[in-house]
């Protein structure tokens, strides 16, 4: 099972749309078996895949009450099916903020590797695990990054966004002491066809020093409409320009991860 995390400390750049679209396309269009992890207490990915419950169990129980740490749950008990044949999910809700605090207070050797250990239980059952991370590098996200092999970092035009991906790269470099396989790949999102946007895109891909996707994701109101309808973008509008862009991103991923 290849584990992919989607993360950015900046909001409004299509992070959840990116993770949900990639998961949907890997599963429903490429026929891969996909496990989605919602690592954001807002639960937007859980809502997109129809499994959000404010009082439900999911990621919090996986991290705090798994049998590996003396709890009652196995990973398989926390996985929920979705309406999509190839996609399952471990959902999240607001309790994930409490989980972060609880993990932060623990002085145990496995407090940052709990997710990696729990996912080992289902590693042969899925081809991919796609994780939508929260914006903060909290204990939940650190657990995700220490289990992952690739971090996809959406970035859009702007100095603050550029600084954000630099900071994320530094954090990933620190975590590689524990997870040497972890690497980061930038993805230009919210792309607009103007001089400033095109110059920024060119600089990111050619001169920034970051590993970047060749594909850039264009900005479209369709993506915002899909999120309002709480549907995966490629299901909401299969052939819109943004879906086409994410389809190319997935093709890049498959070539890179599977050859």
């Amino acid at each position: 099972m290849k584990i992919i995390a989607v993360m950015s400390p900046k909001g409004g750049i299509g992070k959840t749309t990116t993770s949900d679209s990639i998961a949907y396309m890997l599963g429903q269009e490429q026929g891969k078996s996909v496990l989605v992890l919602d690592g954001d207490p807002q639960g937007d990915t859980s809502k997109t895949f129809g499994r959000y419950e404010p009082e439900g169990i999911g990621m919090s129980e996986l991290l705090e009450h798994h049998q590996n740490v003396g709890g009652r749950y196995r990973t398989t008990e926390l996985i929920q099916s979705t309406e999509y044949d190839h996609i399952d999910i471990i959902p999240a809700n607001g309790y994930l903020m409490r989980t972060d605090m609880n993990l932060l207070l623990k002085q145990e050797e496995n407090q940052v590797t709990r997710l990696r250990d729990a996912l080992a239980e289902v590693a042969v059952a899925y081809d991919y695990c796609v994780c939508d991370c929260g914006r903060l590098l909290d204990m939940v996200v650190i657990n995700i990054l220490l289990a992952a092999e690739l971090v996809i970092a959406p970035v859009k035009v702007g100095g603050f966004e550029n600084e954000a991906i630099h900071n994320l790269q530094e954090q990933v470099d620190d975590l590689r002491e524990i997870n040497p396989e972890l690497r980061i790949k930038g993805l230009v999102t919210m792309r607009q066809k103007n001089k400033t946007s095109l110059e920024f895109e060119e600089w990111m891909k050619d001169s920034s020093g970051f590993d970047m996707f060749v594909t850039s994701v264009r900005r479209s109101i369709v993506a915002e409409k899909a999120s309002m309808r709480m549907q995966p973008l490629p299901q909401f509008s299969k052939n819109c320009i943004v879906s086409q862009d994410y389809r190319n991103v997935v093709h890049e991923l498959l070539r890179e991860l599977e050859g």
Side-chain angles (χ1 to χ4, degrees), residues 37 75 89 105 108 138 147 175 182 192 199-201 207 223 227 243-244 258:
L37 297 188
T75 305
I89 188 171
L105 294 173
E108 299 175 4
D138 58 16
L175 293 175
L182 184 63
Q192 301 182 70
E199 287 178 349
F200 175 80
E201 179 183 357
S207 305
S227 64
S243 291
Q244 295 172 23
E258 300 186 11

Side-chain angles (χ1 to χ4, degrees), residues 40-43 52-61 63-64 91-102 140:
D40 191 332
Q42 292 186 100
Y52 178 77
E53 296 180 29
E55 303 295 326
I57 61 175
M59 280 291 287
S60 289
E61 286 69 26
L63 290 167
E64 291 192 76
N93 52 37
Y95 285 104
L96 209 53
M97 290 187 288
R98 185 184 64 187
T99 294
D100 168 53
M101 292 300 299
N102 290 342
V140 174

Side-chain angles (χ1 to χ4, degrees), residues 162 166 198-209:
N162 180 34
H166 273 282
L198 295 176
E199 287 178 349
F200 175 80
E201 179 183 357
E202 182 180 7
W203 178 82
M204 284 298 298
K205 293 179 178 178
D206 298 337
S207 305
S208 68

Side-chain angles (χ1 to χ4, degrees), residues 36-48:
V36 174
L37 297 188
D38 193 345
D40 191 332
Q42 292 186 100
D44 289 343
T45 286
S46 303
K47 295 169 187 173
T48 299

Side-chain angles (χ1 to χ4, degrees), residues 1 23 33-37 75 79-80 86-90 119 122 126-131:
M1 181 173 69
S33 181
V34 178
L35 176 63
V36 174
L37 297 188
T75 305
I79 294 173
Q80 297 185 29
H86 300 282
I87 303 172
D88 294 335
I89 188 171
I90 300 181
L119 289 179
V122 295
Y126 296 94
D127 299 310
Y128 286 90
C129 176
V130 180
C131 313

